[in-house]
Amino acid sequence: MEYIDGTKIESKADKYTFVWRKTVERNRERLMKKIHVLLEQIDDAIARENSLESDEEIAFTPAMLTEMAGELRSALEQVPEPSTQEGKAALKKTRRQLKELESHRDKLQEYDNHLKTLQERNSYSKTDKDATFMRMKEDAMRNGQTKPGYNLQIGTESQFITDFALFPNPTDH
């Protein structure tokens, strides 16, 4: 007869380094809306063509945003220095929008990296990317606080360990 039991082992990762799937997905969705609004504001025809090709929402990638920022940057370099205050203000606004687009691109890349690391899990620790946040049995404060850890499943037969496995999800297998 083989007996299987599991326990949760706490990781050495800091408990305040969590990344939660729902938060990443919600913030990524907000960022996509900001990108759409920003691209609608940009006066450059190239950016307008790329963002308004159809009525449906486009799922931008960091590569697409890099390409748009490059096209906008090259268009700004070809514009002569304006002599009027209104022209200077418009150029300054466009440069500010370019910087904002580049910062959105970097943030989108960060969110995509988080989702890639998460895979099918709901959370992970930034300092120990394999650890998942789960409720531990040894909860000294008895408040149900989650901590980064692993679920260890051990199979035994006649008091000998025959197999073991570490899992990133908190449920028994």
Short mmCIF file of all heavy atoms in Angstrom, two decimals, residues 88-143:
data_model
loop_
_atom_site.label_atom_id
_atom_site.label_comp_id
_atom_site.label_asym_id
_atom_site.label_seq_id
_atom_site.Cartn_x
_atom_site.Cartn_y
_atom_site.Cartn_z
N LYS A 88 5.36 75.99 -30.95
CA LYS A 88 6.28 75.44 -29.95
C LYS A 88 5.53 74.63 -28.90
O LYS A 88 5.99 73.57 -28.48
CB LYS A 88 7.07 76.56 -29.29
CG LYS A 88 8.10 77.19 -30.20
CD LYS A 88 8.85 78.29 -29.50
CE LYS A 88 9.86 78.93 -30.43
NZ LYS A 88 10.62 80.00 -29.79
N ALA A 89 4.36 75.12 -28.50
CA ALA A 89 3.55 74.40 -27.51
C ALA A 89 3.05 73.07 -28.08
O ALA A 89 3.05 72.05 -27.38
CB ALA A 89 2.37 75.26 -27.07
N ALA A 90 2.67 73.09 -29.35
CA ALA A 90 2.19 71.84 -29.98
C ALA A 90 3.33 70.83 -30.10
O ALA A 90 3.13 69.63 -29.86
CB ALA A 90 1.60 72.14 -31.35
N LEU A 91 4.52 71.29 -30.45
CA LEU A 91 5.67 70.40 -30.56
C LEU A 91 6.04 69.82 -29.19
O LEU A 91 6.34 68.63 -29.07
CB LEU A 91 6.86 71.15 -31.16
CG LEU A 91 8.11 70.33 -31.44
CD1 LEU A 91 7.80 69.23 -32.46
CD2 LEU A 91 9.24 71.20 -31.91
N LYS A 92 5.99 70.68 -28.17
CA LYS A 92 6.29 70.23 -26.80
C LYS A 92 5.26 69.18 -26.36
O LYS A 92 5.61 68.17 -25.74
CB LYS A 92 6.28 71.42 -25.85
CG LYS A 92 6.71 71.10 -24.45
CD LYS A 92 6.76 72.36 -23.60
CE LYS A 92 7.20 72.03 -22.19
NZ LYS A 92 7.24 73.24 -21.34
N LYS A 93 4.00 69.40 -26.69
CA LYS A 93 2.94 68.45 -26.34
C LYS A 93 3.16 67.11 -27.04
O LYS A 93 3.02 66.04 -26.43
CB LYS A 93 1.58 69.02 -26.73
CG LYS A 93 0.41 68.12 -26.42
CD LYS A 93 -0.89 68.73 -26.85
CE LYS A 93 -2.04 67.78 -26.60
NZ LYS A 93 -3.31 68.28 -27.12
N THR A 94 3.56 67.15 -28.31
CA THR A 94 3.80 65.91 -29.06
C THR A 94 5.00 65.16 -28.48
O THR A 94 4.97 63.93 -28.38
CB THR A 94 4.03 66.22 -30.55
OG1 THR A 94 2.93 67.00 -31.02
CG2 THR A 94 4.13 64.95 -31.36
N ARG A 95 6.05 65.89 -28.10
CA ARG A 95 7.21 65.23 -27.48
C ARG A 95 6.82 64.59 -26.15
O ARG A 95 7.29 63.50 -25.81
CB ARG A 95 8.33 66.25 -27.28
CG ARG A 95 9.02 66.61 -28.57
CD ARG A 95 10.17 67.55 -28.36
NE ARG A 95 10.81 67.86 -29.62
CZ ARG A 95 11.40 68.98 -29.91
NH1 ARG A 95 11.45 69.95 -29.00
NH2 ARG A 95 11.96 69.18 -31.08
N ARG A 96 5.98 65.28 -25.38
CA ARG A 96 5.50 64.72 -24.11
C ARG A 96 4.68 63.45 -24.36
O ARG A 96 4.81 62.46 -23.63
CB ARG A 96 4.67 65.76 -23.38
CG ARG A 96 4.36 65.40 -21.95
CD ARG A 96 3.64 66.47 -21.15
NE ARG A 96 3.72 67.83 -21.64
CZ ARG A 96 2.69 68.49 -22.20
NH1 ARG A 96 1.52 67.90 -22.33
NH2 ARG A 96 2.83 69.72 -22.63
N GLN A 97 3.86 63.47 -25.41
CA GLN A 97 3.06 62.29 -25.74
C GLN A 97 3.96 61.14 -26.18
O GLN A 97 3.67 59.98 -25.87
CB GLN A 97 2.06 62.64 -26.84
CG GLN A 97 0.93 63.53 -26.38
CD GLN A 97 0.07 64.04 -27.52
OE1 GLN A 97 0.50 64.10 -28.66
NE2 GLN A 97 -1.17 64.41 -27.18
N LEU A 98 5.06 61.45 -26.88
CA LEU A 98 6.00 60.41 -27.28
C LEU A 98 6.63 59.76 -26.05
O LEU A 98 6.73 58.53 -25.98
CB LEU A 98 7.08 61.00 -28.19
CG LEU A 98 8.23 60.07 -28.57
CD1 LEU A 98 7.71 58.89 -29.40
CD2 LEU A 98 9.30 60.82 -29.32
N LYS A 99 7.03 60.57 -25.08
CA LYS A 99 7.61 60.01 -23.85
C LYS A 99 6.58 59.16 -23.11
O LYS A 99 6.90 58.11 -22.56
CB LYS A 99 8.11 61.13 -22.93
CG LYS A 99 9.42 61.72 -23.36
CD LYS A 99 9.93 62.68 -22.33
CE LYS A 99 11.29 63.21 -22.76
NZ LYS A 99 11.91 64.04 -21.75
N GLU A 100 5.34 59.62 -23.09
CA GLU A 100 4.27 58.87 -22.43
C GLU A 100 4.03 57.53 -23.13
O GLU A 100 3.84 56.50 -22.48
CB GLU A 100 3.00 59.70 -22.41
CG GLU A 100 1.91 59.14 -21.54
CD GLU A 100 0.69 60.05 -21.47
OE1 GLU A 100 0.74 61.19 -21.95
OE2 GLU A 100 -0.33 59.58 -20.93
N LEU A 101 4.07 57.54 -24.46
CA LEU A 101 3.90 56.31 -25.22
C LEU A 101 5.03 55.33 -24.92
O LEU A 101 4.79 54.13 -24.74
CB LEU A 101 3.86 56.63 -26.73
CG LEU A 101 3.65 55.46 -27.67
CD1 LEU A 101 2.27 54.85 -27.45
CD2 LEU A 101 3.80 55.89 -29.12
N GLU A 102 6.25 55.83 -24.80
CA GLU A 102 7.39 54.96 -24.48
C GLU A 102 7.28 54.40 -23.06
O GLU A 102 7.61 53.24 -22.82
CB GLU A 102 8.70 55.71 -24.67
CG GLU A 102 9.00 55.97 -26.14
CD GLU A 102 10.19 56.87 -26.36
OE1 GLU A 102 10.61 57.59 -25.41
OE2 GLU A 102 10.71 56.88 -27.49
N SER A 103 6.78 55.21 -22.13
CA SER A 103 6.62 54.69 -20.76
C SER A 103 5.50 53.66 -20.71
O SER A 103 5.60 52.65 -19.99
CB SER A 103 6.34 55.82 -19.77
OG SER A 103 5.07 56.37 -19.98
N HIS A 104 4.43 53.86 -21.49
CA HIS A 104 3.36 52.86 -21.58
C HIS A 104 3.90 51.56 -22.18
O HIS A 104 3.52 50.47 -21.74
CB HIS A 104 2.20 53.37 -22.41
CG HIS A 104 1.36 54.42 -21.75
ND1 HIS A 104 1.33 54.63 -20.39
CD2 HIS A 104 0.50 55.34 -22.27
CE1 HIS A 104 0.52 55.61 -20.09
NE2 HIS A 104 0.00 56.08 -21.22
N ARG A 105 4.77 51.68 -23.16
CA ARG A 105 5.36 50.48 -23.78
C ARG A 105 6.15 49.69 -22.75
O ARG A 105 6.04 48.46 -22.66
CB ARG A 105 6.27 50.91 -24.94
CG ARG A 105 7.01 49.73 -25.58
CD ARG A 105 8.25 50.15 -26.30
NE ARG A 105 9.15 50.87 -25.39
CZ ARG A 105 10.06 51.72 -25.80
NH1 ARG A 105 10.19 52.02 -27.06
NH2 ARG A 105 10.86 52.31 -24.92
N ASP A 106 6.95 50.39 -21.93
CA ASP A 106 7.75 49.72 -20.91
C ASP A 106 6.86 49.04 -19.87
O ASP A 106 7.13 47.91 -19.43
CB ASP A 106 8.69 50.70 -20.23
CG ASP A 106 9.72 51.28 -21.20
OD1 ASP A 106 9.95 50.66 -22.25
OD2 ASP A 106 10.28 52.35 -20.88
N LYS A 107 5.79 49.71 -19.47
CA LYS A 107 4.86 49.14 -18.49
C LYS A 107 4.14 47.93 -19.07
O LYS A 107 3.95 46.92 -18.38
CB LYS A 107 3.86 50.21 -18.05
CG LYS A 107 3.20 49.91 -16.75
CD LYS A 107 4.22 49.88 -15.64
CE LYS A 107 3.55 49.74 -14.30
NZ LYS A 107 4.51 49.52 -13.22
N LEU A 108 3.76 48.00 -20.35
CA LEU A 108 3.10 46.87 -21.00
C LEU A 108 4.05 45.67 -21.06
O LEU A 108 3.63 44.53 -20.84
CB LEU A 108 2.64 47.27 -22.41
CG LEU A 108 1.89 46.21 -23.20
CD1 LEU A 108 0.59 45.84 -22.50
CD2 LEU A 108 1.62 46.69 -24.61
N GLN A 109 5.32 45.92 -21.34
CA GLN A 109 6.32 44.85 -21.35
C GLN A 109 6.43 44.21 -19.97
O GLN A 109 6.52 42.98 -19.84
CB GLN A 109 7.68 45.40 -21.80
CG GLN A 109 8.76 44.34 -21.88
CD GLN A 109 8.49 43.32 -22.95
OE1 GLN A 109 8.10 43.65 -24.05
NE2 GLN A 109 8.68 42.06 -22.63
N GLU A 110 6.40 45.02 -18.92
CA GLU A 110 6.45 44.51 -17.55
C GLU A 110 5.25 43.62 -17.25
O GLU A 110 5.40 42.53 -16.69
CB GLU A 110 6.50 45.68 -16.57
CG GLU A 110 6.56 45.27 -15.12
CD GLU A 110 6.52 46.47 -14.18
OE1 GLU A 110 6.93 47.57 -14.59
OE2 GLU A 110 6.05 46.28 -13.03
N TYR A 111 4.05 44.07 -17.63
CA TYR A 111 2.85 43.26 -17.40
C TYR A 111 2.90 41.95 -18.18
O TYR A 111 2.51 40.90 -17.67
CB TYR A 111 1.59 44.04 -17.77
CG TYR A 111 1.27 45.18 -16.85
CD1 TYR A 111 0.67 46.33 -17.33
CD2 TYR A 111 1.56 45.13 -15.49
CE1 TYR A 111 0.37 47.40 -16.49
CE2 TYR A 111 1.26 46.19 -14.65
CZ TYR A 111 0.67 47.31 -15.15
OH TYR A 111 0.37 48.36 -14.32
N ASP A 112 3.38 42.00 -19.42
CA ASP A 112 3.50 40.77 -20.22
C ASP A 112 4.49 39.80 -19.59
O ASP A 112 4.27 38.59 -19.59
CB ASP A 112 3.90 41.10 -21.66
CG ASP A 112 2.78 41.75 -22.44
OD1 ASP A 112 1.62 41.73 -21.95
OD2 ASP A 112 3.04 42.27 -23.55
N ASN A 113 5.59 40.32 -19.03
CA ASN A 113 6.56 39.46 -18.35
C ASN A 113 5.93 38.81 -17.11
O ASN A 113 6.18 37.64 -16.82
CB ASN A 113 7.80 40.25 -17.96
CG ASN A 113 8.65 40.61 -19.16
OD1 ASN A 113 8.54 40.01 -20.23
ND2 ASN A 113 9.48 41.62 -19.01
N HIS A 114 5.12 39.58 -16.37
CA HIS A 114 4.44 39.01 -15.20
C HIS A 114 3.51 37.88 -15.63
O HIS A 114 3.50 36.81 -15.01
CB HIS A 114 3.63 40.07 -14.46
CG HIS A 114 4.43 41.03 -13.65
ND1 HIS A 114 5.48 40.65 -12.84
CD2 HIS A 114 4.34 42.38 -13.52
CE1 HIS A 114 6.00 41.71 -12.25
NE2 HIS A 114 5.32 42.78 -12.64
N LEU A 115 2.73 38.10 -16.68
CA LEU A 115 1.80 37.06 -17.14
C LEU A 115 2.55 35.83 -17.64
O LEU A 115 2.09 34.70 -17.45
CB LEU A 115 0.88 37.62 -18.23
CG LEU A 115 -0.15 38.63 -17.74
CD1 LEU A 115 -0.90 39.24 -18.92
CD2 LEU A 115 -1.12 37.99 -16.76
N LYS A 116 3.69 36.04 -18.27
CA LYS A 116 4.50 34.92 -18.75
C LYS A 116 5.04 34.10 -17.57
O LYS A 116 5.04 32.87 -17.61
CB LYS A 116 5.65 35.44 -19.61
CG LYS A 116 6.50 34.38 -20.23
CD LYS A 116 7.59 35.01 -21.08
CE LYS A 116 8.51 33.94 -21.64
NZ LYS A 116 9.62 34.55 -22.39
N THR A 117 5.45 34.77 -16.51
CA THR A 117 5.96 34.08 -15.33
C THR A 117 4.83 33.37 -14.59
O THR A 117 5.02 32.27 -14.08
CB THR A 117 6.65 35.08 -14.38
OG1 THR A 117 7.70 35.74 -15.08
CG2 THR A 117 7.23 34.37 -13.17
N LEU A 118 3.64 33.99 -14.53
CA LEU A 118 2.51 33.40 -13.83
C LEU A 118 2.06 32.08 -14.46
O LEU A 118 1.69 31.15 -13.74
CB LEU A 118 1.33 34.37 -13.81
CG LEU A 118 1.38 35.46 -12.76
CD1 LEU A 118 0.38 36.54 -13.08
CD2 LEU A 118 1.13 34.89 -11.39
N GLN A 119 2.06 32.00 -15.79
CA GLN A 119 1.53 30.86 -16.52
C GLN A 119 0.12 30.54 -16.05
O GLN A 119 -0.77 31.34 -16.23
CB GLN A 119 2.48 29.67 -16.41
CG GLN A 119 3.80 29.93 -17.09
CD GLN A 119 4.80 28.82 -16.88
OE1 GLN A 119 4.55 27.85 -16.17
NE2 GLN A 119 5.94 28.96 -17.51
N GLU A 120 -0.12 29.38 -15.41
CA GLU A 120 -1.47 29.03 -14.98
C GLU A 120 -1.72 29.36 -13.51
O GLU A 120 -2.82 29.18 -13.01
CB GLU A 120 -1.75 27.54 -15.24
CG GLU A 120 -1.09 26.59 -14.27
CD GLU A 120 0.36 26.27 -14.59
OE1 GLU A 120 0.82 26.59 -15.69
OE2 GLU A 120 1.04 25.69 -13.72
N ARG A 121 -0.73 29.88 -12.81
CA ARG A 121 -0.88 30.20 -11.39
C ARG A 121 -1.61 31.52 -11.19
O ARG A 121 -1.78 32.30 -12.12
CB ARG A 121 0.50 30.29 -10.72
CG ARG A 121 1.26 29.00 -10.74
CD ARG A 121 2.56 29.12 -10.01
NE ARG A 121 3.45 30.02 -10.73
CZ ARG A 121 4.58 30.50 -10.24
NH1 ARG A 121 4.95 30.20 -9.01
NH2 ARG A 121 5.35 31.28 -10.95
N ASN A 122 -2.01 31.79 -9.96
CA ASN A 122 -2.68 33.04 -9.62
C ASN A 122 -1.74 34.05 -8.97
O ASN A 122 -2.10 35.22 -8.85
CB ASN A 122 -3.86 32.78 -8.68
CG ASN A 122 -5.00 32.12 -9.40
OD1 ASN A 122 -5.21 32.36 -10.58
ND2 ASN A 122 -5.72 31.27 -8.70
N SER A 123 -0.56 33.61 -8.53
CA SER A 123 0.37 34.53 -7.87
C SER A 123 1.78 33.95 -7.93
O SER A 123 1.97 32.77 -8.17
CB SER A 123 -0.03 34.73 -6.41
OG SER A 123 0.08 33.51 -5.71
N TYR A 124 2.74 34.85 -7.71
CA TYR A 124 4.13 34.42 -7.53
C TYR A 124 4.88 35.51 -6.78
O TYR A 124 4.42 36.62 -6.64
CB TYR A 124 4.80 34.07 -8.86
CG TYR A 124 5.24 35.25 -9.70
CD1 TYR A 124 6.54 35.75 -9.59
CD2 TYR A 124 4.41 35.84 -10.62
CE1 TYR A 124 6.95 36.82 -10.36
CE2 TYR A 124 4.81 36.89 -11.40
CZ TYR A 124 6.10 37.38 -11.26
OH TYR A 124 6.51 38.44 -12.02
N SER A 125 6.04 35.15 -6.28
CA SER A 125 6.89 36.09 -5.55
C SER A 125 7.95 36.63 -6.49
O SER A 125 8.53 35.89 -7.28
CB SER A 125 7.56 35.38 -4.38
OG SER A 125 8.52 36.21 -3.79
N LYS A 126 8.24 37.92 -6.40
CA LYS A 126 9.25 38.52 -7.27
C LYS A 126 10.65 38.01 -6.95
O LYS A 126 11.49 37.94 -7.84
CB LYS A 126 9.23 40.04 -7.12
CG LYS A 126 8.00 40.69 -7.67
CD LYS A 126 8.06 42.20 -7.44
CE LYS A 126 6.76 42.86 -7.80
NZ LYS A 126 6.73 44.28 -7.43
N THR A 127 10.91 37.66 -5.69
CA THR A 127 12.25 37.20 -5.31
C THR A 127 12.42 35.70 -5.46
O THR A 127 13.54 35.22 -5.48
CB THR A 127 12.57 37.62 -3.86
OG1 THR A 127 11.55 37.14 -3.01
CG2 THR A 127 12.67 39.12 -3.75
N ASP A 128 11.34 34.94 -5.52
CA ASP A 128 11.38 33.49 -5.76
C ASP A 128 10.25 33.18 -6.74
O ASP A 128 9.13 32.91 -6.34
CB ASP A 128 11.21 32.72 -4.45
CG ASP A 128 11.34 31.22 -4.65
OD1 ASP A 128 11.58 30.77 -5.78
OD2 ASP A 128 11.20 30.49 -3.64
N LYS A 129 10.55 33.24 -8.02
CA LYS A 129 9.51 33.16 -9.05
C LYS A 129 8.78 31.81 -9.10
O LYS A 129 7.72 31.70 -9.66
CB LYS A 129 10.10 33.49 -10.41
CG LYS A 129 10.58 34.93 -10.49
CD LYS A 129 10.92 35.32 -11.88
CE LYS A 129 11.52 36.68 -12.01
NZ LYS A 129 10.88 37.78 -11.41
N ASP A 130 9.34 30.78 -8.47
CA ASP A 130 8.68 29.48 -8.44
C ASP A 130 7.68 29.36 -7.29
O ASP A 130 6.82 28.49 -7.30
CB ASP A 130 9.72 28.36 -8.32
CG ASP A 130 10.60 28.26 -9.56
OD1 ASP A 130 10.09 28.58 -10.65
OD2 ASP A 130 11.77 27.89 -9.42
N ALA A 131 7.80 30.21 -6.28
CA ALA A 131 6.92 30.15 -5.10
C ALA A 131 5.57 30.80 -5.40
O ALA A 131 5.49 31.81 -6.09
CB ALA A 131 7.57 30.84 -3.91
N THR A 132 4.52 30.17 -4.88
CA THR A 132 3.16 30.69 -5.02
C THR A 132 2.65 31.09 -3.64
O THR A 132 2.97 30.44 -2.65
CB THR A 132 2.25 29.59 -5.61
OG1 THR A 132 2.78 29.18 -6.85
CG2 THR A 132 0.84 30.11 -5.82
N PHE A 133 1.84 32.14 -3.58
CA PHE A 133 1.30 32.57 -2.29
C PHE A 133 0.14 31.67 -1.90
O PHE A 133 -0.77 31.44 -2.69
CB PHE A 133 0.87 34.03 -2.36
CG PHE A 133 2.04 34.95 -2.23
CD1 PHE A 133 2.85 35.22 -3.31
CD2 PHE A 133 2.35 35.51 -1.01
CE1 PHE A 133 3.94 36.04 -3.18
CE2 PHE A 133 3.44 36.35 -0.87
CZ PHE A 133 4.24 36.61 -1.97
N MET A 134 0.22 31.14 -0.68
CA MET A 134 -0.82 30.25 -0.17
C MET A 134 -0.91 30.38 1.35
O MET A 134 0.02 30.86 1.98
CB MET A 134 -0.53 28.80 -0.59
CG MET A 134 0.84 28.29 -0.24
SD MET A 134 1.19 26.64 -0.88
CE MET A 134 1.66 26.98 -2.54
N ARG A 135 -2.03 29.94 1.88
CA ARG A 135 -2.21 29.97 3.34
C ARG A 135 -1.44 28.79 3.93
O ARG A 135 -1.56 27.66 3.48
CB ARG A 135 -3.69 29.86 3.69
CG ARG A 135 -4.49 31.02 3.15
CD ARG A 135 -5.92 31.01 3.71
NE ARG A 135 -6.79 31.87 2.96
CZ ARG A 135 -6.76 33.19 2.95
NH1 ARG A 135 -5.84 33.80 3.65
NH2 ARG A 135 -7.60 33.89 2.24
N MET A 136 -0.69 29.08 4.98
CA MET A 136 0.14 28.05 5.62
C MET A 136 -0.56 27.49 6.85
O MET A 136 -1.39 28.14 7.47
CB MET A 136 1.49 28.66 6.04
CG MET A 136 2.30 29.18 4.89
SD MET A 136 2.84 27.81 3.88
CE MET A 136 3.51 28.67 2.50
N LYS A 137 -0.20 26.27 7.20
CA LYS A 137 -0.75 25.64 8.41
C LYS A 137 -0.24 26.35 9.66
O LYS A 137 -0.96 26.53 10.62
CB LYS A 137 -0.36 24.16 8.46
CG LYS A 137 -1.01 23.34 7.40
CD LYS A 137 -0.57 21.90 7.46
CE LYS A 137 -1.17 21.10 6.33
NZ LYS A 137 -0.71 19.71 6.32
N GLU A 138 1.03 26.73 9.64
CA GLU A 138 1.64 27.39 10.80
C GLU A 138 1.39 28.89 10.68
O GLU A 138 2.25 29.63 10.24
CB GLU A 138 3.15 27.13 10.85
CG GLU A 138 3.53 25.67 10.89
CD GLU A 138 3.60 25.05 9.50
OE1 GLU A 138 3.85 25.76 8.52
OE2 GLU A 138 3.36 23.84 9.39
N ASP A 139 0.24 29.32 11.11
CA ASP A 139 -0.13 30.73 11.06
C ASP A 139 -0.16 31.26 12.48
O ASP A 139 -1.17 31.15 13.18
CB ASP A 139 -1.48 30.91 10.36
CG ASP A 139 -1.81 32.35 10.08
OD1 ASP A 139 -0.92 33.21 10.26
OD2 ASP A 139 -2.94 32.62 9.66
N ALA A 140 0.95 31.84 12.94
CA ALA A 140 1.07 32.28 14.33
C ALA A 140 0.04 33.36 14.68
O ALA A 140 -0.48 33.39 15.80
CB ALA A 140 2.48 32.81 14.59
N MET A 141 -0.27 34.22 13.75
CA MET A 141 -1.22 35.31 14.02
C MET A 141 -2.67 34.86 13.84
O MET A 141 -3.59 35.57 14.21
CB MET A 141 -0.94 36.50 13.09
CG MET A 141 0.45 37.08 13.25
SD MET A 141 0.77 37.72 14.88
CE MET A 141 -0.13 39.22 14.82
N ARG A 142 -2.89 33.72 13.24
CA ARG A 142 -4.22 33.17 12.98
C ARG A 142 -5.12 34.15 12.20
O ARG A 142 -6.30 34.30 12.48
CB ARG A 142 -4.92 32.76 14.27
CG ARG A 142 -4.20 31.67 15.02
CD ARG A 142 -4.97 31.33 16.28
NE ARG A 142 -4.12 30.69 17.25
CZ ARG A 142 -3.96 29.38 17.36
NH1 ARG A 142 -4.57 28.59 16.54
NH2 ARG A 142 -3.17 28.88 18.28
N ASN A 143 -4.51 34.82 11.23
CA ASN A 143 -5.28 35.78 10.43
C ASN A 143 -5.40 35.36 8.97
O ASN A 143 -5.93 36.11 8.15
CB ASN A 143 -4.66 37.18 10.54
CG ASN A 143 -3.24 37.23 10.04
OD1 ASN A 143 -2.68 36.24 9.59
ND2 ASN A 143 -2.64 38.41 10.12
#
